[in-house]
Each structure stands twice: as C-alpha cells, then as structure tokens.
Amino acid sequence: MKKTLIRNILTSFLVLIVCLCGFYKFMTYDRNYTWTKEFDDEIKSVAKSFGFYVIKTDRISVDNKKLPTERAIKIRIQKFLSQINLMNYDQEFGQNSLLITDNTNELLNCKGWCLGDHLIGIEIEYKNIHKDTLKNLKDNFEKQFDNYKIIWTHLTDK
C-alpha cells in the first residue's frame, strides 16, 4: 500500500515535470521574431523589386487580426499568464502598409501584428495581381520572413 502511494506520487511528479517542460518548449521555441521597426523596411525591400511602392502606412486595430492557430493559442496563454501576474504582456498593436504599382488596380496591403518591439504575425491582402507575379511575391516574402507563416488573403471587389 505504501509503495503504491509513493509510486503514484513519483509518477504524478514526473508527469508534471514533463508537462511543464513541454509547455515551456511550446511557449518559447519560436523566438526568432523580426523587430517591429524593421517591418516596413523589409516589406519595401521585397515589394520594390516588383514595382510596388508604399502609399500609406498607419497603425491599425488588432481586434480582427489573423494569426496562425499555434501563435494565436500562445498569445491567449500569454494574456492569461499576464492577468495573474506570471508574465509580462507588452502593448499589442497593428501596422498596415498599403502598396500599389503604376497600375493602380494592383494592390498589396501588408498587415503586421506587433507585441511590444516584436512582429508576431503577418497578413498580406492582395488584389488584381497576375498569378505569376503573385507566386513570385509569395516566394520572396516568405524568404524575407522565413520565421513566419504569412496569411495571404485575396481581396475581391464589393
């Protein structure tokens, strides 16, 4: 009876340690973020080679942000840990850069979701871009932001 109790306690303790290590790994393994202040420069460097230029940059609300599922879960966990004072949670904000070409029908709308000094997610909306150009843009953006799963959204005329 006593050996079984000790074995159960040790097993529970080991499972707890493994779970905590797994949780720590899940929350910290992708810490290769781009700095928020570099986001616009990185966008411009890719877009310039395709004839796009920035016509407007501004801050936007993060209420309707689109993030990969894993990153969204991590953000929710970080917010919760912050509420119970176990983790600091920086200011969350969005950055938006609107790009066009000489053909004003072509449009790229690059949204960066930022947490403090770090870019945590990217969504790029596009409209009226030839499929070959779009493929090359996607390849180049994904090389430039190789630590991110970029969400690509096709805009349609309303």
Side-chain angles (χ1 to χ4, degrees), residues 69 71 89 99 121:
T69 305
R71 185 118 339 136
Y89 190 79
L99 298 99

Side-chain angles (χ1 to χ4, degrees), residues 11-157:
T11 302
S12 298
F13 181 73
L14 289 173
V15 167
L16 178 65
I17 295 295
V18 168
C19 288
L20 288 174
C21 290
F23 178 74
Y24 176 79
K25 181 75 172 167
F26 173 73
M27 291 299 290
T28 62
Y29 80 93
D30 67 346
R31 293 288 184 186
N32 296 322
Y33 295 122
T34 298
W35 292 104
T36 299
K37 61 186 174 186
E38 295 174 351
F39 179 58
D40 284 333
D41 294 334
E42 302 284 338
I43 288 172
K44 288 175 189 174
S45 70
V46 173
K48 184 179 180 182
S49 61
F50 292 93
F52 283 89
Y53 54 93
V54 177
I55 60 167
K56 184 171 118 179
T57 300
D58 53 2
R59 285 209 174 188
I60 56 174
S61 170
V62 294
D63 294 337
N64 296 323
K65 67 181 178 254
K66 293 182 182 177
L67 291 173
T69 305
E70 181 181 334
R71 185 118 339 136
I73 290 169
K74 287 180 183 182
I75 294 299
R76 277 193 229 123
I77 291 169
Q78 289 173 0
K79 282 182 181 180
F80 173 75
L81 292 174
S82 176
Q83 289 173 349
I84 58 174
N85 295 322
L86 289 177
M87 180 179 201
N88 289 335
Y89 190 79
D90 285 326
Q91 179 185 358
E92 193 176 24
F93 63 94
Q95 262 181 241
N96 186 58
S97 294
L98 183 63
L99 298 99
I100 61 171
T101 62
D102 291 331
N103 174 0
T104 56
N105 291 332
E106 294 181 324
L107 173 91
L108 275 180
N109 195 29
C110 301
K111 297 178 181 180
W113 307 118
C114 307
L115 185 59
D117 292 335
H118 302 285
L119 180 67
I120 59 170
I122 302 169
E123 177 187 8
I124 300 178
E125 300 172 329
Y126 61 93
K127 183 176 176 181
N128 297 327
I129 299 176
H130 187 272
K131 67 178 183 177
D132 293 333
T133 304
L134 181 62
K135 181 189 178 317
N136 291 332
L137 272 168
K138 284 181 178 183
D139 290 344
N140 285 325
F141 270 108
E142 289 176 9
K143 282 180 192 167
Q144 189 74 26
F145 296 101
D146 60 346
N147 293 323
Y148 295 87
K149 182 185 180 306
I150 299 174
I151 296 175
W152 292 88
T153 306
H154 180 254
L155 296 175
T156 57
D157 292 320

